[in-house]
Amino acid sequence: MYWYHYLGLAALVVFAVAMLWHFLRLIREGNPKDFSKKTGNLVKAEAYAYTTAMMPNHKETAYLHIPTFTAGALFHIGTFISILLFAVFFFISPAQFPLWLSRILTVCILAGAACGTGLLIKRMVVKKMRDLSHLDDYLSNFLTTLFQLFTILYLMLPHMFAPVYYIEVTVLLLYMPIGKLRHVLYFFAARYHLGRFYGWRNVWPPKK
Amino acid sequence: MEKLTTEQIDKALHLLKMRPDSKLETHLNACVHCGLCAESCMYYKTLHDDRYMPARKVELVAALYRKYCTLIGRVAPFLVNARPLDEQMAEEMTDALFGACTMCGRCVKHCSIGVDIAYVVHFGRRMLAAMGLVPATLQATVDAALQTGNNMAIPTADFVDTIQWMEEDLQDECGSEARIPLNETDKNILYTLNPREPKFFPLSIAALAKIFFAAKESWTISTDMYDVTNYGLFSGNNEHAKSIAKRLHDEVFNKHCKILVLGECGHGSRANRWEGPNYLQHSYEFETITAVELINTYIREGRIKLDKSLNQELVTLHDPCNLVRNGGLESELRYTISQSVTHFKEMTPHGIDNFCCGGGGGQLAMSEYNERRIAIGKIKADQIRNTGAKVVVTPCHNCVDQLIQLNNIYKLNVKIKTIAEIVADALVLE
């Protein structure tokens, strides 16, 4: 292991501790106490909130915005693959990856990075998006897209890009808990509360 | 806007810092500013004003949260848009959270993350209420309820006159046994009304009384506390909401009734069925159901008989947000309609995806925003027109009021009826 591996590992520890703090805070604060009489099934509603309710045909934010939704999905897939690879890289050097696998991963991540760049440009160009955005929005997208690009470079040219890859990952991991990227945790919490709210009142799952 | 005092700001920030559970924390941290919620909001769709995007409404409260409740917001406010609570912020919040949101929750269901935007808007209203910045007309409605027992300040003598008049009409149709019992005790049901009924739509009271008569129900209305509405839900003052809810809760005990039946009012049903026990911080000791559920039960149990051929005109249904998207009564409503009318056509979209009429969230009470309310109502008017229906049924008197105005302004040429009215029209008396 080189110094940059330790740097990445240290950032990962800081990230994990910070996100754990966010998580434990939510647990400590707990569920809202609801004294009304429950009429629905919370388990079914929670399952629905995390599955069917997320399907593109169930949300206007998806089916009215197919290009943006698709770009967002690909951007996230690219990110997930890059995160997975970050973990794998501690055990297997990119140089040991078979060429066919490196190429497949590169194409997938490149698609994600391209979509990330597209979304960043949209945020800068479209007035309603610009009005909604602040520095954190641009920085979060930029760091994540850069993470994907450096993952590709590290995958292709490991000896040349190893230090810069780990430095970028370090910045990203340290920034995640303080910027909007912490939605990596709060997304799940939001779906949980939504499922609970609609499930309590027998709105979800829909009865048709 | 007048300069905010330190006391006003402290009261609002106290609420923000006293987060009782993880729900608010979650929703203030979850929005990713994708902006895709814009097209789910009637205000943005109609007025095309970026400030009215649901995400912008959440951002107002979230910016305060970051400023006063996060380290990064204090250290580097420019990075995360952490903003102080000042006059400009209060003005923006008042305009967007009171004046450009019906709290219908349509954006919530469609949010790509699942942020409960309506919940955050309500919290923002609570902060404004703590600073005494509730729009004057909405506050006047709450004050009327607190001072007189009903939000329209109807004198008891006038109310009794109206009920007696309706009872005479009912007896002409159904015989002398049909009654609208006032202030009786030990009945099965304590029934409640939206004060718009005695004031403007007394026939809907007669319609429900006819259904009760057909079902041989044991029921009563209290002249002391019959108002199902609770505008404290919309003003954001939970103490006011609690006082109003408590009076209705206590009246069930005063009259020794077993079931509290919430009249046809979306927000009133929500305020008493779902929020009331939380305002009072204890479960209700009696059953609380809506008129929709009660009528549904009568039909399913065969306690009333209907002849749907008596309603021949094409009917469509407007789903009140607080009864359907926020109350789970989508299928109950449709079952009742299916048993009551011959021809029915759904709006597009409908059910939990339905658009608000535009009068929710206290908008009907806030004349400051009348122009916007009518403008956003065009979506509902177009929905109705596209069905080709001659009758619009909705179990909410606030919706009825808004739909009547939309009917006139957008020249829809439809009749607006409540569930009780459409069911009473199909009722077969034995």
Side-chain angles (χ1 to χ4, degrees):
Chain A
M1 295 238 296
Y2 292 93
W3 63 269
Y4 44 79
H5 288 117
Y6 289 108
L7 185 70
L9 209 52
L12 184 62
V13 171
V14 172
F15 163 78
V17 169
M19 293 312 291
L20 186 65
W21 178 81
H22 279 281
F23 178 69
L24 291 176
R25 185 176 60 170
L26 292 180
I27 298 295
R28 192 189 68 232
E29 290 176 352
N31 283 323
K33 178 78 180 154
D34 198 330
F35 293 95
S36 65
K37 187 179 170 189
K38 176 166 69 83
T39 56
N41 183 321
L42 290 188
V43 175
K44 284 184 180 174
E46 291 291 3
Y48 182 81
Y50 285 107
T51 54
T52 314
M54 293 293 298
M55 292 294 112
N57 59 335
H58 281 70
K59 295 201 295 187
E60 283 186 351
T61 43
Y63 62 74
L64 291 183
H65 305 272
I66 295 293
T68 305
F69 174 77
T70 309
L74 290 174
F75 186 35
H76 278 80
I77 289 169
T79 307
F80 296 145
I81 294 173
S82 300
I83 291 169
L84 188 66
L85 286 175
F86 172 68
V88 170
F89 289 159
F90 280 108
F91 306 99
I92 305 168
S93 163
Q96 296 172 273
F97 277 49
L99 189 61
W100 62 268
L101 182 60
S102 291
R103 283 183 176 165
I104 290 173
L105 292 170
T106 298
V107 169
C108 293
I109 300 171
L110 195 60
C115 290
T117 308
L119 292 171
L120 185 61
I121 292 169
K122 181 187 173 190
R123 193 175 283 284
M124 290 189 289
V125 171
V126 178
K127 184 183 175 296
K128 83 169 181 190
M129 293 304 295
R130 213 167 46 233
D131 291 347
L132 174 63
S133 306
H134 40 81
L135 191 53
D136 177 33
D137 295 300
Y138 298 107
L139 194 58
S140 296
N141 182 311
F142 178 71
L143 286 174
T144 310
T145 305
L146 209 58
F147 170 50
Q148 297 186 17
L149 290 174
F150 277 120
T151 302
I152 294 169
L153 291 172
Y154 185 42
L155 205 56
M156 291 165 66
L157 302 163
H159 300 298
M160 192 183 295
F161 284 96
V164 75
Y165 168 75
Y166 279 98
I167 289 170
E168 203 284 335
V169 173
T170 299
V171 174
L172 179 69
L173 286 172
L174 294 180
Y175 186 69
M176 275 179 83
I178 56 173
K180 79 164 184 183
L181 292 174
R182 64 186 183 278
H183 76 263
V184 67
L185 168 69
Y186 286 98
F187 163 79
F188 293 100
R191 298 305 301 176
Y192 168 77
H193 280 295
L194 204 60
R196 191 177 167 80
F197 175 81
Y198 284 138
W200 192 272
R201 299 171 181 213
N202 203 21
V203 177
W204 276 359
K207 304 165 288 295
K208 279 188 179 174
Chain B
M1 173 173 281
E2 284 180 26
K3 190 167 170 51
L4 294 175
T5 64
T6 310
E7 190 188 0
Q8 280 177 299
I9 293 172
D10 286 348
K11 280 182 180 173
L13 294 182
H14 176 72
L15 275 178
L16 189 63
K17 291 172 182 172
M18 287 284 291
R19 297 179 300 283
D21 53 59
S22 65
K23 188 170 177 179
L24 185 66
E25 190 96 54
T26 292
H27 293 305
L28 290 177
N29 278 292
C31 181
V32 293
H33 300 161
C34 68
L36 301 179
C37 53
E39 278 74 21
S40 297
C41 174
M42 300 176 78
Y43 281 91
Y44 181 79
K45 278 176 82 78
T46 312
L47 305 173
H48 306 292
D49 188 328
D50 295 351
R51 291 174 303 164
Y52 301 149
M53 288 166 63
R56 291 281 296 272
K57 295 167 192 167
V58 171
E59 181 60 16
L60 290 169
V61 184
L64 293 173
Y65 164 80
R66 288 185 216 111
K67 175 72 183 172
Y68 296 103
C69 306
T70 70
L71 182 63
I72 190 71
R74 278 188 281 260
V75 174
F78 59 93
L79 180 63
V80 292
N81 188 38
R83 293 178 58 188
L85 181 51
D86 54 17
E87 290 76 16
Q88 188 191 340
M89 175 57 111
E91 207 160 328
E92 286 177 39
M93 286 174 72
T94 304
D95 183 67
L97 307 186
F98 275 115
C101 183
T102 64
M103 292 161 63
C104 72
R106 191 167 189 279
C107 52
V108 177
K109 191 253 174 188
H110 289 288
C111 172
S112 56
I113 294 285
V115 178
D116 194 338
I117 297 153
Y119 177 80
V120 175
V121 166
H122 182 254
F123 185 80
R125 287 188 180 195
R126 286 183 63 195
M127 291 181 74
L128 291 165
M131 292 189 287
L133 298 178
V134 177
T137 46
L138 179 57
Q139 189 57 53
T141 308
V142 175
D143 291 342
L146 289 169
Q147 287 156 16
T148 70
N150 71 84
N151 77 48
M152 301 196 89
I154 302 169
T156 304
D158 291 1
F159 176 69
V160 171
D161 278 352
T162 303
I163 294 296
Q164 284 173 347
W165 165 39
M166 285 299 105
E167 188 175 64
E168 286 163 17
D169 273 12
L170 182 70
Q171 289 174 342
D172 286 345
E173 188 182 350
C174 305
S176 58
E177 288 179 359
R179 296 183 56 228
I180 303 181
L182 290 178
N183 295 325
E184 296 187 1
T185 56
D186 300 298
K187 297 290 178 181
N188 191 39
I189 284 172
L190 179 70
Y191 187 65
T192 55
L193 305 165
N194 184 315
R196 287 173 195 278
E197 294 181 75
K199 189 89 171 174
F200 304 119
F201 309 105
L203 291 177
S204 71
I205 306 172
L208 207 285
K210 189 176 166 186
I211 295 170
F212 278 144
F213 172 68
K216 300 181 175 56
E217 187 59 83
S218 145
W219 67 294
T220 189
I221 295 175
S222 163
T223 56
D224 296 328
M225 189 58 203
Y226 58 84
D227 185 358
V228 70
T229 71
N230 188 338
Y231 280 86
L233 173 70
F234 295 139
S235 75
N237 188 322
N238 279 7
E239 282 307 309
H240 289 169
K242 180 181 174 181
S243 297
I244 295 168
K246 186 172 188 310
R247 282 203 310 229
L248 194 51
H249 167 272
D250 293 350
E251 195 61 14
V252 178
F253 285 102
N254 293 340
K255 294 289 181 282
H256 306 289
C257 292
K258 293 176 188 151
I259 304 171
L260 173 62
V261 175
L262 307 165
E264 295 191 62
C265 174
H267 93 269
S269 296
R270 178 176 182 166
N272 289 290
R273 167 74 173 271
W274 301 111
E275 317 296 350
N278 296 322
Y279 293 141
L280 271 58
Q281 288 289 292
H282 65 76
S283 302
Y284 281 7
E285 304 83 346
F286 44 82
E287 195 180 352
T288 307
I289 61 168
T290 61
V292 170
E293 290 162 289
L294 183 70
I295 294 171
N296 197 285
T297 306
Y298 287 161
I299 299 171
R300 286 182 191 276
E301 292 179 353
R303 287 182 66 179
I304 58 173
K305 290 203 166 38
L306 303 178
D307 178 0
K308 61 169 88 173
S309 70
L310 295 172
N311 284 319
Q312 285 286 346
E313 289 182 302
L314 180 60
V315 171
T316 190
L317 171 68
H318 166 65
D319 293 283
C321 309
N322 284 313
L323 287 176
V324 175
R325 189 161 37 241
N326 297 305
L329 298 182
E330 181 176 357
S331 57
E332 284 80 355
L333 268 173
R334 275 151 185 81
Y335 177 75
T336 301
I337 295 280
S338 72
Q339 299 301 305
S340 311
V341 308
T342 313
H343 307 291
F344 175 68
K345 188 170 181 187
E346 291 278 16
M347 292 187 200
T348 307
H350 61 266
I352 60 174
D353 280 335
N354 198 26
F355 281 101
C356 175
C357 61
Q363 295 302 329
L364 266 168
M366 292 187 277
S367 54
E368 296 92 332
Y369 306 111
N370 271 351
E371 212 173 306
R372 285 184 200 170
R373 172 172 59 80
I374 296 301
I376 65 164
K378 184 172 186 309
I379 292 178
K380 179 55 60 185
D382 289 343
Q383 272 192 295
I384 293 169
R385 201 192 314 275
N386 290 339
T387 63
K390 296 292 173 203
V391 180
V392 182
V393 174
T394 188
C396 169
H397 274 280
N398 273 16
C399 298
V400 165
D401 229 24
Q402 168 80 346
L403 292 175
I404 285 173
Q405 292 185 42
L406 297 180
N407 194 18
N408 293 333
I409 291 164
Y410 294 104
K411 304 193 185 325
L412 299 173
N413 196 25
V414 292
K415 283 176 269 187
I416 318 291
K417 291 189 175 185
T418 63
I419 281 284
E421 287 168 352
I422 203 83
V423 169
D425 286 346
L427 205 55
V428 179
L429 294 174
E430 292 172 330

